[in-house]
Amino acid sequence: MTKLLAEKILDMSIQEAFPSIFDKGTVYVAPDTPIKNVALFLIPLRELYASGIVVMKDNKPIGRIGPTHILKKVLEFGYPQCLSLTAKDVMIGIVREVKATFTLREVLEIFKNSKFGFMPVMKNELLAGSISTRDFLPFIAKMGVDRQASTIASDLIYISPGISVENTLRIMFKKDFRKIAIKENGEVKIVDDRSLLGYLFSWEKGKPNALDTDIDILPKSNVANFPHTISISTAAEELLVNDLPCSISEDKIITPWDFVMKVLGQYVARTNMNEAVLLD
C-alpha cells in the first residue's frame, strides 16, 4: 500500500502537488554578488525554511547556493580571505532546469544526485518559485507510514563546547551533516550551518581568527525529542504542526531530508537508507 501511494505521489507534477510555492517569493542574486551579501540573504531565510538562494543570469537560473556551499569555501580559502569570492564561485551549477510540469519523481532525482534539497522552478520561461524537501512533508504525514521514525533517523554527532569553529566545520563536512549537537547543563542544543554562517559573516570586514573561536559562544537551538516508538507519518506531522526544523532522540536526529529521501526517495532510485543528512 505504501509503495502504491508513493508511486502515485511521485507521478504528480510540481504545479499539481505544490501550487502554493508559486505564491511565495524566491530570493535570487546575480553571479557577481559578493559572498558576504549572499550569506546575509541566507541567514534570515532559516525562519522561512528556505534552503537556498538562486543565482540568475539573463533571467535564467544558472546556480543555487546553500549555507554549506559557502562554509566549504571558508575552509578552502581561509577566513577572511574568502570574502573576495562571489556567488558564481560558490554556487552549484544547474544542469537541468526544473519546470512546473516536472514530476515529483524528477525533482527527487535531482535532489538525490546533488545532495541538495532545493531547486528553483520555472513557469512560462520565468522564475516562478522554488521547491525543497520540506514541501514534501505533508505527503509523508498523510501516507500513514507506521514504521518507526527511528528506522530512518540519522546519527547525531556530539562535540565538545570548547571545540573551535574551524574544527566544527571539518567534522560537519566529513560527516555531511548540517546540524551537530552540544550538551549544555544536561540539555541537548543544536548548532547548525546557519548559526556558523551568521557568526562568520556578521562582521563588517571579517573578524580575524574567527575560525579559532570556541563554538560555545555561538547561538544554539533547542529542538524537540521524538519518542523512540513514534511512527514516520506521525513524526512528520509533528514537525509540521510544531514548525520544527528537526527532532532528536538520544543519539539520533531526523530531518525533512530523512523523511523525504528515505520514504519517497527509495522509490525513485536505490537509496542508501543510512545516507547522510546534508541539505534540507
Side-chain angles (χ1 to χ4, degrees), residues 80-122:
Q81 295 90 332
C82 64
L83 296 178
S84 63
L85 301 177
T86 63
K88 68 176 179 292
D89 297 319
V90 301
M91 72 182 191
I92 298 296
I94 293 177
V95 177
R96 188 182 183 193
E97 194 175 278
V98 171
K99 295 178 171 56
T101 54
F102 273 32
T103 65
L104 302 191
R105 186 186 307 277
E106 291 173 295
V107 172
L108 292 189
E109 285 175 357
I110 294 170
F111 285 1
K112 182 176 186 296
N113 290 336
S114 63
K115 287 192 176 182
F116 186 16
F118 169 82
M119 275 295 293
V121 180
M122 302 293 284

Side-chain angles (χ1 to χ4, degrees), residues 1-12 103-105 143 263-264 266-269:
M1 179 64 180
T2 299
K3 181 178 180 180
L4 291 175
L5 184 54
E7 296 285 359
K8 183 177 180 180
I9 292 169
L10 291 169
D11 287 338
M12 296 175 69
T103 65
L104 302 191
R105 186 186 307 277
M143 284 177 66
V263 177
L264 288 175
Q266 67 179 311
Y267 300 110
V268 171

Side-chain angles (χ1 to χ4, degrees), residues 222-237:
N222 292 311
V223 292
N225 285 276
F226 66 88
H228 185 71
T229 57
I230 195 172
S231 73
I232 288 173
S233 287
T234 301
E237 184 176 11

Side-chain angles (χ1 to χ4, degrees), residues 131-197:
I131 187 170
S132 70
T133 46
R134 193 174 181 89
D135 292 315
F136 288 77
L137 285 183
F139 284 120
I140 305 295
K142 293 175 182 177
M143 284 177 66
V145 183
D146 293 330
R147 187 155 47 97
Q148 291 183 1
S150 58
T151 62
I152 62 168
S154 297
D155 292 336
L156 182 60
I157 303 298
Y158 285 85
I159 58 172
S160 164
I163 197 172
S164 70
V165 168
E166 178 176 358
N167 285 333
T168 299
L169 287 172
R170 293 192 183 281
I171 292 170
M172 291 173 75
F173 296 153
K174 183 178 180 180
K175 299 291 185 179
D176 275 344
F177 286 177
R178 288 183 59 198
K179 300 174 175 65
I180 203 159
I182 294 177
K183 280 191 177 180
E184 287 187 348
N185 302 319
E187 292 186 2
V188 177
K189 302 288 183 73
I190 297 294
V191 173
D192 63 14
D193 52 6
R194 301 289 176 107
S195 299
L196 291 156
L197 204 66

